[in-house]
Amino acid sequence: MSVSDASIRALCAAVFGFFLGACGADHYAAKGKTAQDAHDLPAAERHYRDAIARDPTHVEALAGLGWVYLLAGQSEAADAAFTQCRKADSINAECLRGSASVASAKGNPGEARRLLNEALETHPQHSGVLSSSALLDLAAGRVEEALRRYEQLVDREPTRAEYRLGLVEALMRAKRHLEALDQIEKALTLRNAPKRTRAMLLQTQARALVAASAKRVDPGACESTAAPVRAWLDAAEQAVESARSVGVALPDLPVVERRVRNQRARVSELCPG
């Protein structure tokens, strides 16, 4: 039985469409996101640029490229990527909150808030926009507002470690260190957390252990008070080493490490041996 020319053309079109999809902009944008979550920023940039080469208006790739540049500390390049993203889709939530993050990084919280409010008008329940708003609240000292937003996000998306990290930071600002430690433990059990988020959780765990151990040593009762604090500081040292082993550069990690050492020295002064 012969196959008609129309059938052959249909088959060829289907095969061509399959391979085009496998090598299209969406494919490379997804690879970029995977590399970004693994904190492989050079690979993420390369994949996002491959996506943009195939579709210059691909908003996911443009926004992803902007976040990669922000993570690398290249605010001007991030600004250019998010500006192009907004040109491609002026009301896209990721484009707007990315531009807001650039404005915040450049020390312009008013512009950041304007952009986030614009995003909230169109996307009032967008988790990323709500998270960025909470972060801006924290930067402005509005701790209770930030706590409320992050608690809502964690309730809504309990498997997103990024939102638990935000909640932890808000709890730290509120000096609720034991609650912060509880949330960190929960976040560290989550699978598929971005690599940088895991490293920051471990760094914050060390910070929280140091803060929670402050003023707990009684020189008149060294045997019962110093040993538990030293155990917490041992755990803080382990958290620092674990954060370092993740392989993500955290500029504040040496500062946290010094805090652990200084706290241990104070304990030794109060309760030698």
Side-chain angles (χ1 to χ4, degrees), residues 66 68-82 98 101-103 105-106:
V68 166
Y69 285 138
L70 266 183
L71 287 171
Q74 300 176 34
S75 58
E76 294 301 328
D79 196 6
F82 286 123
S101 294
V102 172
K106 289 184 173 182

Side-chain angles (χ1 to χ4, degrees), residues 92-157:
N92 181 272
E94 283 299 308
C95 304
L96 286 166
R97 84 180 189 99
S99 289
S101 294
V102 172
S104 183
K106 289 184 173 182
N108 192 347
E111 176 65 5
R113 178 56 68 186
R114 184 191 71 77
L115 288 161
L116 287 175
N117 286 341
E118 186 178 337
L120 285 169
E121 287 178 9
T122 312
H123 311 278
Q125 297 302 317
H126 189 280
S127 295
V129 174
L130 292 173
S131 177
S132 293
S133 296
L135 190 60
L136 203 59
D137 285 336
L138 269 186
R142 296 188 291 269
V143 177
E144 290 304 316
E145 289 89 338
L147 271 170
R148 185 171 60 254
R149 288 186 193 272
Y150 279 126
E151 285 169 348
Q152 291 172 349
L153 284 169
V154 168
D155 286 342
R156 182 195 298 177
E157 300 191 49

Side-chain angles (χ1 to χ4, degrees), residues 49-240:
R49 287 201 171 278
D50 283 342
I52 294 165
R54 287 157 176 79
D55 179 1
T57 63
H58 198 286
V59 290
E60 288 82 3
L62 289 165
L65 187 63
W67 291 118
V68 166
Y69 285 138
L70 266 183
L71 287 171
Q74 300 176 34
S75 58
E76 294 301 328
D79 196 6
F82 286 123
T83 298
Q84 191 63 33
C85 189
R86 288 163 60 199
K87 287 180 180 178
D89 185 347
S90 62
I91 62 171
N92 181 272
E94 283 299 308
C95 304
L96 286 166
R97 84 180 189 99
S99 289
S101 294
V102 172
S104 183
K106 289 184 173 182
N108 192 347
E111 176 65 5
R113 178 56 68 186
R114 184 191 71 77
L115 288 161
L116 287 175
N117 286 341
E118 186 178 337
L120 285 169
E121 287 178 9
T122 312
H123 311 278
Q125 297 302 317
H126 189 280
S127 295
V129 174
L130 292 173
S131 177
S132 293
S133 296
L135 190 60
L136 203 59
D137 285 336
L138 269 186
R142 296 188 291 269
V143 177
E144 290 304 316
E145 289 89 338
L147 271 170
R148 185 171 60 254
R149 288 186 193 272
Y150 279 126
E151 285 169 348
Q152 291 172 349
L153 284 169
V154 168
D155 286 342
R156 182 195 298 177
E157 300 191 49
T159 62
R160 290 289 296 275
E162 303 95 311
Y163 300 148
R164 285 194 186 270
L165 175 61
L167 176 58
V168 165
E169 189 58 42
L171 289 168
M172 290 287 290
R173 300 285 182 91
K175 301 188 184 303
R176 292 159 58 178
H177 304 123
L178 295 180
E179 291 176 67
L181 285 167
D182 181 60
Q183 288 295 334
I184 291 169
E185 290 291 340
K186 291 176 180 177
L188 289 173
T189 66
L190 297 174
R191 295 183 177 182
N192 301 321
K195 196 173 180 180
R196 186 173 185 272
T197 299
R198 181 172 180 81
M200 291 187 68
L201 282 165
L202 289 162
Q203 174 180 271
T204 309
Q205 186 178 48
R207 286 173 50 212
L209 285 164
V210 170
S213 68
K215 299 180 180 180
R216 288 181 177 267
V217 174
D218 180 359
C222 283
E223 186 174 347
S224 60
T225 61
V229 169
R230 287 192 174 102
W232 281 16
L233 294 177
D234 288 343
E237 285 183 351
Q238 181 58 54
V240 168

